[in-house]
Amino acid sequence: MTLMKPLLLGAAATLALTAGAALAEPALIFDLGGKFDKSFNEAAHSGAQRWAEETGESYREIELQSEAQREQALRRFAEAGANPIVMVGFAFADALGQVAADYPETKFTIIDMVVEGDNVRSVVFNEHEGSYLVGMMAAMASKSNTVGFIGGMDIPLIRKFACGYAEGVKAANPDAAVIANMTGTTPAAWNDPVKGSELTKAQISQGADVVYAAAGGTGVGVLQTAADEGILSIGVDSNQNHLHPGKVLTSMTKKVGNAVFEAFTDGVDMETGFSVMGLANGGVGYAMDEHNAPLVSAEMQAAVDDAAAKIASGEIKVHDYMSDDSCPALSF
C-alpha cells in the first residue's frame, strides 16, 4: 500500500499534481538534500510515515530540486486542498511569508524558523542543548584533547549547534580544543559529502579524534571518512549510530519527526503559534543503542544524563548563539 502521494517535478520546473488526491490530505515539503539524506529530512519523513502507518491515511510530498520551487510547491499544495502543509527547514520562511495570508483556511507548519501568521505553526528546537550533551561526550571520549565540528551552510542556526557543542566540550574538559569548519555559504553545503570528507581529513591532521557533523547530507561524508580514518564521529538529527557501528560515538537527536507527526495528527484543527522543543520536553537528546554502547562508559553516560537534567530544570544555561550572534566558547 502506498502511503504517500508525490508531487512531481516537470522538465520545465513546473509542478504537476497527482491525480485523484483527496481534499484535506496533509502534505510535506522536504528541504534540499532529499528525504533520504539520513539526517534532517529523513527524520521528517519518518514522522510522516509513522502517521500514515498508524492511521492508514495518505499524504502528499515533494522533494525540491531548487530554491525557486519553494513558493511554487506551497501554492500548488494549497490550491489542491492539502491541509495542513508542513515544510522542513528555515529556508521556507520567505516563501511561507508570501503564501500563508493568501490561503487563510490552510494550516501551515514550518520547522526551524518562526513565521508570523494566524494560520502558521512555527516549531523550533533547542539544538544548543542537545549539542552540549554530545560535546561533553566528545571531550570525554577524546584521547588527543582536540575535537572537531563540521557544519553545513554557515548560518546562525548551525553556529547554534557549534556553540552548544563547544560549551559541552569545555564543561567536560576545559583544556580541550575545538576546531570548527563550515562547508559553505550556499544551500549546496547541505549535500556535499566530498567536501565533508575533505574537511574531516583536515581536522584529523590538526589532531581531532572526534568530529561532530551538523551538515545534512554532507555529514554522510564526514561519518564515512571518520570511520575510514579510525576516529570517532557524532551524527545529527536522526540517530546515525547504525551507519558505522562502533565508530559513531552518538548522535544528537532532534525530534523533527515528532513535529511532523503532531502536525499531521492535529490536521485542519491544528493550533498555530510558536512551539519550542528542547531537553525539557523531549525535543532533543542523544542516541544510545547497541551500535554505540561499547563506546560510552557508565561514567560518561551518568555525567551527560546529569547535565541533561540540569539543563532541563534550568540549573545549567546553555548559550544560544542566535540570541546575540556570539559564542563564549568558540570563535568563528
Side-chain angles (χ1 to χ4, degrees):
M1 176 180 179
T2 300
L3 298 174
M4 63 81 181
K5 297 179 181 179
L7 190 63
L8 302 175
L9 294 171
T14 59
L15 302 179
L17 297 172
T18 302
L23 292 179
E25 282 183 319
L28 177 61
I29 308 177
F30 297 102
D31 208 346
L32 298 175
K35 66 181 176 181
F36 295 122
D37 64 355
K38 303 185 186 303
S39 185
F40 184 62
N41 283 312
E42 195 157 331
H45 172 66
S46 69
Q49 285 294 101
R50 177 159 63 95
W51 174 84
E53 290 163 4
E54 290 186 10
T55 64
E57 301 293 332
S58 61
Y59 64 93
R60 315 287 302 284
E61 68 172 23
I62 183 174
E63 298 178 69
L64 300 185
Q65 303 301 313
S66 73
E67 290 289 325
Q69 293 167 344
R70 295 187 190 278
E71 182 175 343
Q72 191 179 19
L74 281 169
R75 290 192 182 279
R76 287 300 182 94
F77 272 142
E79 289 168 5
N83 200 1
I85 300 171
V86 181
M87 64 222 72
V88 186
F90 71 93
F92 283 97
D94 288 345
L96 181 59
Q98 296 294 321
V99 171
D102 293 341
Y103 301 92
E105 302 304 314
T106 302
K107 299 290 182 67
F108 298 90
T109 292
I110 183 168
I111 297 173
D112 269 359
M113 184 54 75
V114 177
V115 173
E116 300 293 335
D118 292 339
N119 55 339
V120 176
R121 173 186 288 180
S122 299
V123 182
V124 297
F125 291 81
N126 290 341
E127 296 96 349
H128 54 304
E129 295 179 351
S131 295
Y132 182 100
L133 301 183
V134 301
M136 288 183 64
M137 294 183 74
M140 289 185 282
S142 176
K143 295 179 173 60
S144 66
N145 287 338
T146 300
V147 301
F149 174 89
I150 296 175
M153 187 176 175
D154 189 1
I155 53 173
L157 175 63
I158 300 304
R159 291 189 175 203
K160 180 180 177 182
F161 281 82
C163 186
Y165 175 69
E167 278 199 87
V169 170
K170 297 293 187 179
N173 180 2
D175 296 325
V178 181
I179 305 167
N181 296 112
M182 300 295 181
T183 304
T185 58
T186 70
W190 302 119
N191 196 27
D192 192 346
V194 173
K195 184 65 176 291
S197 175
E198 292 171 353
L199 289 172
T200 304
K201 290 178 180 178
Q203 292 194 354
I204 292 171
S205 73
Q206 297 173 72
D209 61 355
V210 185
V211 178
Y212 176 28
T218 298
V220 174
V222 176
L223 271 58
Q224 178 68 62
T225 300
D228 292 344
E229 298 292 328
I231 70 163
L232 295 173
S233 61
I234 296 174
V236 75
D237 295 337
S238 298
N239 180 355
Q240 297 181 316
N241 297 353
H242 68 283
L243 295 179
H244 302 282
K247 302 291 186 179
V248 181
L249 178 62
T250 187
S251 298
M252 197 289 281
T253 54
K254 179 174 168 180
K255 307 302 171 120
V256 175
N258 288 357
V260 175
F261 180 87
E262 289 168 10
F264 278 17
T265 299
D266 293 345
V268 297
D269 298 321
M270 181 183 78
E271 290 186 11
T272 56
F274 181 57
S275 175
V276 180
M277 300 182 70
L279 278 174
N281 59 2
V284 296
Y286 72 97
M288 286 298 304
D289 56 28
E290 70 275 18
H291 301 301
N292 71 328
L295 303 174
V296 182
S297 68
E299 179 184 6
M300 289 169 62
Q301 191 164 0
V304 172
D305 288 344
D306 180 65
K310 289 177 178 175
I311 293 169
S313 71
E315 183 177 346
I316 293 178
K317 301 286 188 183
V318 184
H319 184 75
D320 181 353
Y321 179 90
M322 294 180 72
S323 67
D324 62 2
D325 290 335
S326 74
C327 180
L330 184 65
S331 297
F332 293 97

